[in-house]
Amino acid sequence: MDDGTVGIPAELAVFLGASTPETWVDAAADPAALPLMLVDHANCEKKAASTALAMLFRYEEHEELTERLSRLAREELRHFEQVRRHMRLRGIEWRRVPASRYASGLAEVVRQREPGRLIDRLIVGAFIEARSCERFALITPRLDDDLGRFYAGLLASEARHFQHYLELARGFAEDDLEARIADIRAVENRLATEPDQELRFHSGPPA
């Protein structure tokens, strides 16, 4: 595509703080990296659905939380199916791809005691969705028309998911939520911007 007008909501960019390095965009948009990126993206969508379902079962006493997570899980699974469709159209076979350090690095900051654990998991979910949204916007102008339209469409969904996670976190927070967001942001920014050994959808730029 040669349309460079795709952008992300200002609120989302402010929430992220640090932007994805251009070197990551160059590497991820390289046609030679497309099979790897689509497989990893499919894994990310599957993991997002799994995370939402796990939280749904863990916190089933919270009605609004479970309703939102149920809808989110359905959307993530639909995105997983759509990514697999694009893989089939391009003759890309499924293969096992280890995840980047991003998700595990964010999991390490989650507190173990409730309600801190729930709040942190929701904040982490907001960051993952926000970073996905940003990266969809960054790579869309570099892709072919069909795949570019797909990623441009995903951007709106991921922006909604970001909002859902953040609104839910605010609903459960008893202390200064902004301070906790800032703590997790510092970790997320490091994971998303520092050089990485493996190129993935949520990795840092190649070392």
Side-chain angles (χ1 to χ4, degrees), residues 161-201:
H161 296 173
F162 153 72
Q163 290 284 1
H164 290 331
Y165 274 119
L166 197 55
E167 289 169 2
L168 288 168
R170 287 174 175 150
F172 286 102
E174 297 177 352
D175 299 318
D176 186 358
L177 183 67
E178 293 306 316
R180 189 57 187 155
I181 289 174
D183 290 341
I184 296 176
R185 178 184 293 117
V187 176
E188 195 278 342
N189 286 179
R190 175 175 56 80
L191 293 167
T193 63
E194 291 185 356
D196 230 319
Q197 295 301 313
E198 303 287 349
L199 177 65
R200 299 289 186 271
F201 212 93

Side-chain angles (χ1 to χ4, degrees), residues 6-41:
V6 178
I8 63 173
E11 179 188 5
L12 193 149
V14 171
F15 177 78
L16 281 175
S19 301
T20 289
E22 189 68 20
T23 49
W24 180 91
V25 182
D26 291 339
D30 186 330
L34 182 62
L36 169 66
M37 297 304 292
L38 284 176
V39 170
D40 187 57
H41 182 192

Side-chain angles (χ1 to χ4, degrees), residues 7-186:
I8 63 173
E11 179 188 5
L12 193 149
V14 171
F15 177 78
L16 281 175
S19 301
T20 289
E22 189 68 20
T23 49
W24 180 91
V25 182
D26 291 339
D30 186 330
L34 182 62
L36 169 66
M37 297 304 292
L38 284 176
V39 170
D40 187 57
H41 182 192
N43 274 327
C44 288
E45 299 291 357
K46 186 168 54 175
K47 177 61 177 176
S50 174
T51 298
L53 288 172
M55 292 179 67
L56 186 154
F57 281 103
R58 173 65 180 83
Y59 303 104
E60 58 188 358
E61 70 274 16
H62 300 295
E63 184 174 357
E64 181 183 3
L65 176 72
T66 56
E67 287 183 358
R68 289 201 183 192
L69 290 173
S70 176
R71 291 195 296 270
L72 191 147
R74 289 197 298 272
E75 285 193 23
E76 301 289 14
L77 285 174
R78 185 164 64 251
H79 295 165
F80 167 73
E81 293 167 356
Q82 291 169 340
V83 177
R84 291 298 299 264
R85 172 182 170 273
H86 281 282
M87 289 173 60
R88 288 194 299 273
L89 289 174
R90 289 163 174 76
I92 298 171
E93 295 185 359
W94 185 262
R95 59 190 174 99
R96 188 172 297 278
V97 174
S100 69
R101 64 184 181 183
Y102 183 86
S104 60
L106 285 176
E108 290 175 2
V109 306
V110 173
R111 290 170 287 181
Q112 296 304 305
R113 289 191 174 186
E114 301 291 1
R117 178 176 173 80
L118 171 57
I119 293 168
D120 285 358
R121 292 179 75 180
L122 292 169
I123 295 172
V124 165
F127 271 108
I128 292 173
E129 299 293 341
R131 186 62 68 185
S132 296
C133 194
E134 183 221 25
R135 292 190 170 184
F136 292 156
L138 289 172
I139 66 172
T140 291
R142 309 276 196 101
L143 302 172
D144 64 66
D145 288 344
D146 185 41
L147 201 56
R149 282 192 296 270
F150 170 60
Y151 276 105
L154 282 184
L155 197 153
S157 294
E158 300 299 334
R160 287 197 307 273
H161 296 173
F162 153 72
Q163 290 284 1
H164 290 331
Y165 274 119
L166 197 55
E167 289 169 2
L168 288 168
R170 287 174 175 150
F172 286 102
E174 297 177 352
D175 299 318
D176 186 358
L177 183 67
E178 293 306 316
R180 189 57 187 155
I181 289 174
D183 290 341
I184 296 176
R185 178 184 293 117

